[in-house]
């Protein structure tokens, strides 16, 4: 009978081990999934940050080129040779061109904002405000012989550079923080 008790105890210990292993296994699977998701999200964020920076630099450069002396001369020539109201047509071209420049930047901003984290979301908000400032400063006095307002444009360029610097700082903090396996997130 003693041998049967040994077999029974061994079987009971095995059954307890199996039952205890189920929640431990589930925890490991959830934990691994969380870590893999964090790594994937981190990679997506890095790609989105780089894409936004590329589009941002291109957009700011295009805004600056729009009010470059040579481009302004071309715009004034188009006004003079336009049949009808040349200034109205000029205003339409300027508004259209600023919209064309802004659209890819807004799309990249939205992608970054979707991926977070909060510190980068805040920096994206600053970039969005700066983008609006660039657009408005470039459009200021559109349809008027005194276009462009270079003082407003320079101010918007400074704001854009400050927002870009803040975005870079936020990205550095977000990217350099590695996922922590034990950190629980909601």
């Amino acid at each position: 009978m003693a041998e049967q008790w040994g077999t029974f105890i061994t079987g009971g210990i095995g059954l307890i081990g199996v039952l205890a292993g189920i929640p431990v296994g589930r925890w490991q699977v959830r934990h691994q999934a969380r870590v893999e998701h964090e790594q994937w999200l981190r990679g997506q964020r890095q790609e989105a940050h780089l894409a936004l920076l590329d589009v941002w630099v291109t957009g700011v450069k295009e805004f600056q080129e729009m009010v470059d002396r040579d481009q302004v001369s071309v715009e004034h020539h188009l006004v003079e040779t336009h049949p009808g109201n040349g200034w109205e047509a000029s205003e339409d071209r300027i508004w259209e061109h600023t919209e064309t420049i802004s659209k890819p930047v807004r799309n990249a901003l939205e992608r970054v904002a979707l991926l977070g984290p909060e510190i980068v979301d805040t920096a994206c908000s600053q970039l969005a405000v700066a983008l609006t400032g660039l657009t408005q400063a470039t459009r200021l006095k559109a349809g008027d012989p005194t276009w462009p307002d270079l003082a407003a444009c320079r101010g918007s360029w400074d704001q854009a550079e400050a927002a870009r610097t803040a975005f870079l700082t936020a990205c550095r903090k977000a990217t350099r923080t590695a996922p922590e396996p034990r950190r629980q997130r909601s």
Side-chain angles (χ1 to χ4, degrees):
M1 187 82 174
E3 288 179 18
Q4 291 174 343
W5 279 109
T7 304
F8 180 74
I9 290 174
T10 304
I13 291 173
L15 181 62
I16 291 171
V18 167
L19 293 175
I22 291 172
V24 169
R26 286 184 177 169
W27 177 83
Q28 283 180 315
V29 168
R30 281 193 310 271
H31 172 75
Q32 184 64 29
R34 189 178 310 119
V35 169
E36 287 178 11
H37 176 71
E38 287 293 323
Q39 290 172 342
W40 171 84
L41 184 58
R42 189 168 183 245
Q44 293 295 309
R45 285 174 175 165
Q46 289 172 340
E47 287 177 24
H49 297 167
L50 291 174
L52 174 56
L53 285 171
D54 286 343
V55 170
W56 181 261
V57 169
T58 301
V60 171
K61 183 179 176 186
E62 288 177 359
F63 276 116
Q64 291 171 338
E65 288 173 351
M66 253 186 97
V67 296
D68 179 62
R69 182 178 298 164
D70 293 335
Q71 185 59 37
V72 171
S73 295
V74 169
E75 188 62 38
H76 282 254
H77 175 72
L78 291 172
V79 167
E80 293 169 6
T81 59
H82 186 274
N85 189 344
W87 289 112
E88 188 175 300
S90 173
E91 182 177 17
D92 292 344
R93 276 192 302 275
I94 291 168
W95 278 67
E96 206 173 288
H97 193 192
T98 57
E99 186 60 30
T100 301
I101 295 169
S102 299
K103 188 175 182 176
V105 178
R106 280 194 309 268
N107 292 343
L109 278 167
E110 289 171 357
R111 181 173 181 225
V112 170
L114 283 172
L115 295 170
E118 191 172 325
I119 188 172
V120 176
D121 291 346
T122 303
C124 276
S125 297
Q126 292 174 349
L127 284 174
V129 168
L131 179 63
T132 301
L134 285 166
T135 304
Q136 290 175 345
T138 306
R139 289 176 175 174
L140 196 62
K141 296 185 180 181
D144 188 270
T146 60
W147 179 84
D149 185 337
L150 291 176
C153 289
R154 286 187 191 101
S156 70
W157 299 338
D158 292 342
Q159 181 187 16
E161 183 58 30
R164 181 183 152 297
T165 301
F167 178 74
L168 281 171
T169 301
C171 288
R172 261 189 234 111
K173 287 179 183 176
T175 303
R176 291 181 181 172
T177 304
E180 295 179 18
R182 293 185 185 246
R183 182 172 33 179
Q184 296 292 326
R185 295 191 177 172
S186 51

